[in-house]
Amino acid sequence: MIGQMMDFQLTINSVMRHGRSLYGNQEIVSVTSDNPLHRYTFEEAFGRVCQVAGVLADMGLNAGDRVGTLAWNDYRHFEIYYAVSCSELVTHTINPRLFPEQLDFVVNHAEDRVIFVDPTLLPALEAIKDKLTKVERIIVMTSEEHMPDSSLALECYETLLAGRPTEFTFPEFDEKTASSLCYTSGTTGDPKGVLYSHRSTVLHAMGGAVPSVFGLTTDDIILPIVPMFHVNAWAIPYAAVMSGTKLVFPGPKMGDGAAIADLINAEKVTVSAGVPTVWLAMLNHLRETKQTVETLTRIIVGGAACPQAIMEEMEQAHGVYVHHAWGMTEMSPLGTFNTIKPELSDLPADEKMAYRLKQGLPPYGVELDVFDEEGNAQPHDGTSFGSLRVRGPWIASGYFKLDKEIIDENGYMDTGDVAVIDEHGYMQITDRAKDVIKTGGEWISSIDLENAAIGHPGVAEACVIGIHHPKWDERPLMLVIAAGEQPSKEELNAYMSDKVAKWWLPDDIIFVQELPHTATGKLDKKVLRTQYKGYKLPTA
Ligand code: AMP
């Protein structure tokens, strides 16, 4: 028997209607490249969304066409997010940190017909202009007086919007309609496009907004430092509108610790989200200037493992609670979020910290498990490793225009991460599948080894890769960027020896000036594995 409830479509349009009609007075504040602090209300924002929709309607685009954005986190990017998706078009957020070859690959693969670009990111587009096959119009996100000179034919965002009506009749469509597209650079091959739907986006934002996850309220003020060009800024542009939460956008200042701290204090931000490097930059600034962030109560740290040092300093020096989170582009991205369950709340601080450093619990909407190579689910004992597989309504079932099966017979997608799950359900990433070092049939976690080295004051960054070894198959090689005075190899090994098993210690340590990173800031081990292929370890 089918239930007798309305077949109400979960579209981003419904999020917009809700936010505009209920929280019209709530603010959106942003730093942009042409304004140090722009401020307006949800009502004004959605009025301008209608104006952008009018511009798009005049362009003669067809339902499902892709519209690219090459932009920072700011109010114009927010307007485009809503205007494009709600017009039954697809917002393709382009990562400006991609290398030029990847940039033209993604723009051409997506077949973007229009690109909205921040003036500061125009050079990236100019560099690939001869390779763009489908782009018909380039709109610069600024006003007429700030229009840059360029060899490209450009149109001005503000001029296109001027004088247009602030109401628009958006089309009605199925909730499974594609809403946005984000490419993941991955570790091998060309970037792959993840095509989100209205339904997945709405459910993901609802799943993230609930009290046991972001817990957004109308009293919160949220600063998404996670970029809008990478996995929808972790749903914050939607979850904040659903929850009536004031939004503060950092614009191009995302990596600037001083600017972030000033923005938090000036706008009384209560909650924020970003990758560890952002928080390290802010903590350095606060330490040097002996300042604090008064109003900030909690932050969400994800995208890479959250170091214990960030958690401790945030809490002890600034009273900010740190939630560790994990996810991936294919998961919209929310996969787990760390909160302490009631049965663990009375543990001594160090034992609780061990739980808090784990990637966390899946929210409702995500099911996950770990499997061995034969596909057997591993026990949830906190020690049994396995490949981490996930399923749920905001998880990709394939890649854009790619004929590749990514779902197994049980409906799971393999994340490429290796993890353990403990008896309380906390998931902990122990490695990337492709990064795992298997030595004599046993696993070494390169991440744990890197973390052990990073605790040493003479180490700024460490990266471990597996090198072929005649006896053990693979042994770890550690590459280190020194901080200040370079420690000796012996000193570093001695330092790590009580933090990891003896047999984990790297067979060699090489000090380097720099390490390659992917466009999303992760260590690019693919490059390093190629570079050090054939390297002869002293133990070989
Ligand atoms: P991306 O799709 O670029 O966002 O990358 C997703 C990958 O980043 C995941 O599969 C993990 O390998 C890694 N990752 C994300 N969050 C965390 C975290 N909290 N701890 C460790 N690794 C993480």
Side-chain angles (χ1 to χ4, degrees):
M1 192 191 298
I2 303 291
Q4 287 181 302
M5 304 307 279
M6 288 184 191
D7 194 14
F8 184 87
Q9 299 298 294
L10 301 177
T11 59
I12 296 170
N13 307 50
S14 71
V15 178
M16 171 167 66
R17 286 197 299 271
H18 177 78
R20 186 174 188 179
S21 67
L22 274 178
Y23 305 116
N25 295 330
Q26 199 56 285
E27 275 188 321
I28 299 178
V29 177
S30 36
V31 177
T32 62
S33 51
D34 60 7
N35 188 336
L37 212 57
H38 175 275
R39 187 184 297 277
Y40 67 176
T41 61
F42 278 20
E43 171 57 32
E44 289 168 293
F46 288 115
R48 279 169 54 94
V49 166
C50 290
Q51 293 181 315
V52 181
V55 172
L56 293 166
D58 287 351
M59 287 183 181
L61 302 170
N62 302 316
D65 278 349
R66 273 74 65 199
V67 173
T69 64
L70 198 52
W72 306 113
N73 290 13
D74 67 26
Y75 71 103
R76 293 191 184 100
H77 204 175
F78 174 91
E79 291 162 6
I80 299 162
Y81 255 49
Y82 279 88
V84 173
S85 303
C86 296
S87 300
E88 208 180 346
L89 301 164
V90 178
T91 317
H92 169 208
T93 51
I94 306 166
N95 187 337
R97 297 190 189 128
L98 291 173
F99 306 116
E101 307 81 67
Q102 294 174 314
L103 200 63
D104 69 56
F105 174 85
V106 301
V107 174
N108 288 333
H109 189 266
E111 301 174 63
D112 293 331
R113 289 185 64 186
V114 180
I115 294 186
F116 286 91
V117 58
D118 186 274
T120 58
L121 296 170
L122 193 56
L125 220 48
E126 284 167 340
I128 56 163
K129 66 174 181 186
D130 298 331
K131 302 210 173 111
L132 302 178
T133 51
K134 294 276 185 338
V135 179
E136 296 158 36
R137 303 178 71 159
I138 299 174
I139 298 162
V140 184
M141 296 159 67
T142 192
S143 55
E144 203 64 56
E145 71 263 36
H146 294 108
M147 280 296 283
D149 288 330
S150 172
S151 52
L152 292 164
L154 303 176
E155 295 172 80
C156 170
Y157 187 86
E158 292 301 334
T159 307
L160 287 172
L161 263 67
R164 287 185 180 269
T166 53
E167 297 295 334
F168 185 83
T169 309
F170 287 94
E172 305 250 333
F173 46 83
D174 190 281
E175 63 182 12
K176 294 199 183 74
T177 303
S179 62
S180 29
L181 176 65
C182 180
Y183 282 77
T184 167
S185 40
T187 41
T188 48
D190 285 325
K192 297 189 279 293
V194 180
L195 188 62
Y196 309 103
S197 68
H198 280 258
R199 176 184 150 84
S200 75
T201 303
V202 170
L203 289 174
H204 176 252
M206 284 171 86
V210 300
S212 54
V213 188
F214 293 1
L216 295 183
T217 70
T218 47
D219 293 328
D220 273 316
I221 299 176
I222 190 162
L223 170 73
I225 310 177
V226 293
M228 290 171 78
F229 58 72
H230 184 58
V231 231
N232 312 309
W234 297 356
I236 294 167
Y238 306 112
V241 172
M242 280 179 179
S243 313
T245 303
K246 172 177 163 181
L247 273 159
V248 180
F249 287 121
K253 301 273 171 93
M254 286 186 300
D256 179 339
I260 291 296
D262 289 350
L263 200 52
I264 291 173
N265 285 327
E267 293 302 322
K268 300 191 166 35
V269 168
T270 60
V271 51
S272 183
V275 295
T277 39
V278 164
W279 302 116
L280 289 173
M282 190 181 88
L283 284 171
N284 281 342
H285 167 77
L286 295 177
R287 217 178 300 121
E288 278 162 18
T289 56
K290 299 195 168 44
Q291 286 183 327
T292 192
V293 275
E294 286 292 345
T295 52
L296 195 66
T297 60
R298 60 199 194 278
I299 60 170
I300 300 129
V301 183
C306 177
Q308 184 168 347
I310 292 186
M311 263 189 203
E312 287 175 346
E313 190 171 351
M314 276 288 180
E315 265 166 55
Q316 287 158 16
H318 307 290
V320 176
Y321 191 90
V322 177
H323 291 282
H324 194 187
W326 162 87
M328 56 194 301
T329 310
E330 289 87 338
M331 301 184 73
S332 299
L334 184 60
T336 60
F337 188 87
N338 196 309
T339 46
I340 289 297
K341 287 171 127 183
E343 64 257 39
L344 304 175
S345 62
D346 292 333
L347 285 179
D350 55 334
E351 285 177 43
K352 212 190 281 183
M353 181 56 83
Y355 281 98
R356 295 191 42 210
L357 285 168
K358 299 185 184 198
Q359 276 68 14
L361 306 164
Y364 169 75
V366 174
E367 293 185 1
L368 49 79
D369 215 337
V370 288
F371 298 87
D372 69 10
E373 278 167 22
E374 281 77 48
N376 304 311
Q378 295 295 94
H380 294 182
D381 56 10
T383 56
S384 299
F385 280 86
S387 65
L388 178 63
R389 297 188 197 171
V390 292
R391 60 185 182 193
W394 57 75
I395 297 170
S397 61
Y399 292 107
F400 185 52
K401 300 202 300 192
L402 207 69
D403 190 15
K404 185 173 188 265
E405 196 52 67
I406 64 167
I407 309 255
D408 70 15
E409 61 283 8
N410 298 315
Y412 282 104
M413 181 196 78
D414 191 345
T415 62
D417 286 319
V418 177
V420 296
I421 298 175
D422 70 23
E423 54 276 31
H424 299 283
Y426 287 80
M427 185 278 283
Q428 182 178 19
I429 300 280
T430 52
D431 220 323
R432 289 279 301 177
K434 298 171 204 91
D435 286 345
V436 168
I437 298 164
K438 207 169 194 184
T439 184
E442 295 289 341
W443 298 103
I444 291 180
S445 161
S446 50
I447 293 177
D448 282 359
L449 205 46
E450 287 158 11
N451 286 343
I454 286 163
H456 190 286
V459 176
E461 195 168 11
C463 176
V464 174
I465 52 170
I467 296 285
H468 178 70
H469 189 283
K471 183 165 179 198
W472 304 106
D473 190 26
E474 270 194 322
R475 288 295 302 159
L477 167 70
M478 179 175 276
L479 302 154
V480 171
I481 299 178
E485 205 184 326
Q486 179 177 312
S488 70
K489 292 182 193 181
E490 292 69 22
E491 197 188 320
L492 199 50
N493 265 329
Y495 174 79
M496 291 186 288
S497 63
D498 63 349
K499 295 173 184 63
V500 296
K502 284 271 185 304
W503 59 273
W504 279 31
L505 291 175
D507 284 26
D508 203 2
I509 300 175
I510 302 177
F511 289 93
V512 293
Q513 293 300 321
E514 52 183 23
L515 288 166
H517 292 88
T518 64
T520 50
K522 295 182 212 311
L523 281 165
D524 197 343
K525 299 197 177 183
K526 189 167 50 121
V527 170
L528 289 170
R529 276 195 289 264
T530 310
Q531 196 178 335
Y532 288 91
K533 194 163 189 240
Y535 181 78
K536 195 164 183 306
L537 291 165
T539 51

